Amino acid sequence: RPRREVLFFPSQVTCTEALLQTPGLPSGPPSGCPCSLPHSESSLSRLLRALLAARSSLELCLFAFSSPQLGRAVQLLHQRGVRVRVITDCDYMALNGSQIGLLRKAGIQVRHDQDLGYMHHKFAIIDKKVLITGSLNWTTQAIQNNRENVLIMEDTEYVRLFLEEFERIWEEFDPT
Amino acid sequence: RPRREVLFFPSQVTCTEALLQTPGLPSGPPSGCPCSLPHSESSLSRLLRALLAARSSLELCLFAFSSPQLGRAVQLLHQRGVRVRVITDCDYMALNGSQIGLLRKAGIQVRHDQDLGYMHHKFAIIDKKVLITGSLNWTTQAIQNNRENVLIMEDTEYVRLFLEEFERIWEEFDPT
Ligand SMILES: [Zn+2]
Ligand SMILES: [Zn+2]
């Protein structure tokens, strides 16, 4: 049965170090982290886990991206050789705490809009197989405080349609 | 085969009068509207059509709601006896052009948050059978200018999970 899941937010604030520090073992135990946060599952940890499952490609099409944990996850994937491409909105990109500069510095391809409307999507495609989409901007404010939803769907048809949308925008935002 | 669709925005600006003025015949022809807009289908007209298909109930859980066309569609449904319930965000509600005041005046039940985080969902449930959810706020700005997605899914499991989320928030925002 193909994966069909929804994560609701706000997420409980939990420690996600175990996920982010043992890249080879994304489902390993917290291995004795001494911090005072709970080490249980949360909507954020499930979202991180879904992302960290990527083995070959990751397309990100995100209005806002400032969550340090999600930024670290994307950098980990890039380090592991996953082909990461990021589309974002130029208005938000300039804001405080945006992860976009860090991703670029790490060598990840980023393109952004230059037109009037917002690039307001919030979706990710994992290995051209799983679609992650919803209302959640990838910011700590949204993750910890807002009521949000994120669907995680293994769905050939939706993946195809969102990938086409990604490629359309990717070409349109080509700076050259 | 259950319905599984995605609408991408920005939507072409088309005339939606035919949909909104013949409540009994939501799929009727534009019947000679003299306005200068195109009378073809668009992402907005498809979204309106999905909403106007409601026969018994409509749950709306929307961060922002200012689109006049979508507002008229919801009022039409209320007039036809569909049970409409609306959850919204109090910060946005106060803004210029919000439809929320008009809906309340028409006798539609509305509840809103009073806490710090945003009620940032953008979903609708039709007849407890179809889920409409995505990145789109129901504003003309977003519909006409932004890159957005809206999923329309006939999916028992997702409808159940989003309806539970709706009822949780509905109870929590009970003002009494
Ligand atoms: Zn810890
Ligand atoms: Zn017309």
Side-chain angles (χ1 to χ4, degrees):
Chain A
R1 196 178 121 74
R3 184 170 186 183
R4 176 145 322 170
E5 208 176 311
V6 58
L7 308 175
F8 289 114
F9 293 78
S11 175
Q12 199 199 350
V13 180
T14 59
C15 173
T16 55
E17 288 305 310
L19 279 169
L20 293 169
Q21 284 187 348
T22 48
L25 300 161
S27 50
S31 65
C33 173
C35 86
S36 62
L37 292 172
H39 291 81
S40 45
E41 286 289 341
S42 64
S43 290
L44 174 59
S45 75
R46 284 178 215 276
L47 177 56
L48 285 167
R49 231 180 256 285
L51 276 178
L52 289 166
R55 288 297 168 263
S56 58
S57 64
L58 173 65
E59 281 81 27
L60 293 176
C61 196
L62 295 171
F63 173 59
F65 190 174
S66 62
S67 157
Q69 288 97 329
L70 289 164
R72 279 171 64 193
V74 172
Q75 292 216 35
L76 268 180
L77 292 172
H78 174 66
Q79 285 159 22
R80 285 186 212 162
V82 172
R83 184 193 182 202
V84 179
R85 290 184 294 165
V86 181
I87 291 172
T88 191
D89 186 84
C90 74
D91 293 300
Y92 191 86
M93 207 172 70
L95 288 197
N96 231 353
S98 171
Q99 290 288 314
I100 298 296
L102 296 172
L103 298 183
R104 278 203 160 138
K105 215 175 288 178
I108 294 172
Q109 290 181 278
V110 177
R111 292 186 182 175
H112 59 81
D113 67 323
Q114 33 246 309
D115 44 38
L116 281 172
Y118 289 122
M119 204 311 294
H120 201 244
H121 286 305
K122 309 105 172 38
F123 71 81
I125 303 168
I126 313 289
D127 293 343
K128 311 214 185 312
K129 235 174 53 191
V130 176
L131 173 66
I132 299 179
T133 189
S135 66
L136 181 80
N137 290 312
W138 286 21
T139 71
T140 300
Q141 147 67 24
I143 292 166
Q144 294 185 0
N145 300 300
N146 291 359
R147 287 165 200 275
E148 309 270 6
N149 63 79
V150 172
L151 309 179
I152 304 179
M153 290 189 285
E154 206 176 315
D155 184 295
T156 319
E157 184 64 1
Y158 272 138
V159 164
R160 186 179 64 78
L161 293 166
F162 277 78
L163 204 51
E164 283 171 11
E165 172 77 352
F166 185 93
E167 299 293 356
R168 260 194 304 274
I169 303 178
W170 186 254
E171 288 314 313
E172 196 178 321
F173 289 1
D174 188 346
T176 64
Chain B
R1 195 179 123 75
R3 184 170 187 183
R4 175 146 321 174
E5 209 177 311
V6 58
L7 307 175
F8 288 113
F9 294 77
S11 175
Q12 199 199 351
V13 181
T14 60
C15 174
T16 54
E17 288 305 310
L19 279 170
L20 293 169
Q21 285 187 348
T22 50
L25 300 161
S27 51
S31 64
C33 172
C35 86
S36 63
L37 292 173
H39 292 81
S40 45
E41 285 290 342
S42 64
S43 290
L44 175 58
S45 75
R46 284 177 215 276
L47 177 56
L48 285 167
R49 231 180 258 285
L51 276 178
L52 289 166
R55 289 295 169 263
S56 57
S57 63
L58 173 65
E59 281 82 27
L60 293 176
C61 196
L62 295 170
F63 173 60
F65 190 173
S66 62
S67 157
Q69 288 97 329
L70 289 163
R72 279 172 64 193
V74 172
Q75 293 216 34
L76 269 179
L77 292 173
H78 173 66
Q79 284 159 24
R80 285 186 211 161
V82 172
R83 184 194 181 202
V84 179
R85 291 184 293 165
V86 181
I87 291 173
T88 192
D89 186 84
C90 74
D91 293 301
Y92 191 86
M93 207 173 71
L95 288 195
N96 231 351
S98 171
Q99 289 289 313
I100 299 297
L102 296 172
L103 298 183
R104 277 200 161 140
K105 214 175 289 179
I108 293 171
Q109 290 181 277
V110 177
R111 292 186 182 176
H112 58 81
D113 66 324
Q114 33 244 312
D115 46 35
L116 281 173
Y118 289 123
M119 203 312 293
H120 201 244
H121 286 304
K122 309 106 173 35
F123 70 82
I125 303 167
I126 313 289
D127 293 343
K128 312 216 186 308
K129 233 174 54 191
V130 176
L131 173 66
I132 299 179
T133 189
S135 66
L136 182 80
N137 290 313
W138 286 22
T139 72
T140 300
Q141 146 67 24
I143 291 166
Q144 294 186 0
N145 300 300
N146 291 0
R147 286 165 201 274
E148 308 271 7
N149 64 78
V150 172
L151 308 179
I152 304 179
M153 290 188 285
E154 207 175 313
D155 186 294
T156 319
E157 184 65 0
Y158 272 137
V159 164
R160 185 179 63 77
L161 293 165
F162 276 78
L163 204 52
E164 283 171 11
E165 173 76 353
F166 185 93
E167 299 293 357
R168 258 194 305 273
I169 304 178
W170 186 255
E171 287 315 312
E172 196 178 319
F173 290 1
D174 187 346
T176 63

